[in-house]
Amino acid sequence: MALGEGSALLIGELSERTGVSARLLRYYEQQGLLRSARAANGYRHYAVEDVEKVRRIRSLLNVGLPLRTVELLLPCVVDASPRVIPCENLVATLRQEVARLDEASNEIDRCRTLILDILHRSGADELVGASTGS
């Protein structure tokens, strides 16, 4: 990206357009998800296309994918929608993530059952119905 062509955004502008804090944008850059050019004054300059890239990063993170997986899948995601392009290992990576989420969900269910059992045995059944909506 060449600086001074009007196509570069400062970090504050990228933050404003995406709703992502400058601190988080710097973190994404540190993790290799974003790249910036540096001006002589040290300011970061991002491409206008990085607005959509940051939106894709946020979308992937918002569905529960870890950063390492986002890095792998980022080139496969067309835009902030769920549309994807064919990408090597995409299906295998997503299946691994579904398995990881299933394990986490099972653990949450196990913990919830344990807590409800403790409440039941403590005679606090009235709290159980109020907190679970039953």
Side-chain angles (χ1 to χ4, degrees):
M1 143 187 30
L3 298 178
E5 295 178 1
S7 63
L9 301 172
L10 293 172
I11 195 166
E13 295 168 316
L14 183 58
S15 174
E16 186 176 311
R17 288 189 188 192
T18 61
V20 174
S21 72
R23 181 177 181 194
L24 199 48
L25 292 172
R26 286 190 292 272
Y27 178 72
Y28 293 163
E29 188 174 344
Q30 179 186 18
Q31 298 303 308
L33 298 174
L34 282 178
R35 292 201 175 119
S36 67
R38 292 288 184 129
N41 60 7
Y43 287 3
R44 288 173 166 89
H45 290 265
Y46 297 92
V48 173
E49 296 80 24
D50 287 334
V51 171
E52 189 57 39
K53 187 173 193 176
V54 170
R55 289 181 180 147
R56 288 193 317 263
I57 292 168
R58 294 304 312 155
S59 293
L60 292 167
L61 290 171
N62 286 339
V63 298
L65 297 174
L67 207 53
R68 64 176 167 69
T69 303
V70 170
E71 184 177 11
L72 294 172
L73 296 181
L74 194 56
C76 306
V77 180
V78 176
D79 54 29
S81 73
R83 296 181 307 141
V84 295
I85 57 174
C87 218
E88 187 178 334
N89 300 322
L90 174 66
V91 172
T93 300
L94 290 176
R95 284 189 176 144
Q96 288 173 347
E97 287 307 319
V98 168
R100 182 186 64 80
L101 291 170
D102 285 345
E103 286 179 32
S105 177
N106 290 338
E107 180 62 14
I108 289 169
D109 287 344
R110 189 189 68 73
C111 292
R112 183 180 185 278
T113 300
L114 178 62
I115 290 169
L116 289 172
D117 185 51
I118 292 169
L119 284 171
H120 177 72
R121 285 187 280 135
S122 70
D125 285 340
E126 68 281 355
L127 294 176
V128 173
S131 67
T132 62
S134 21

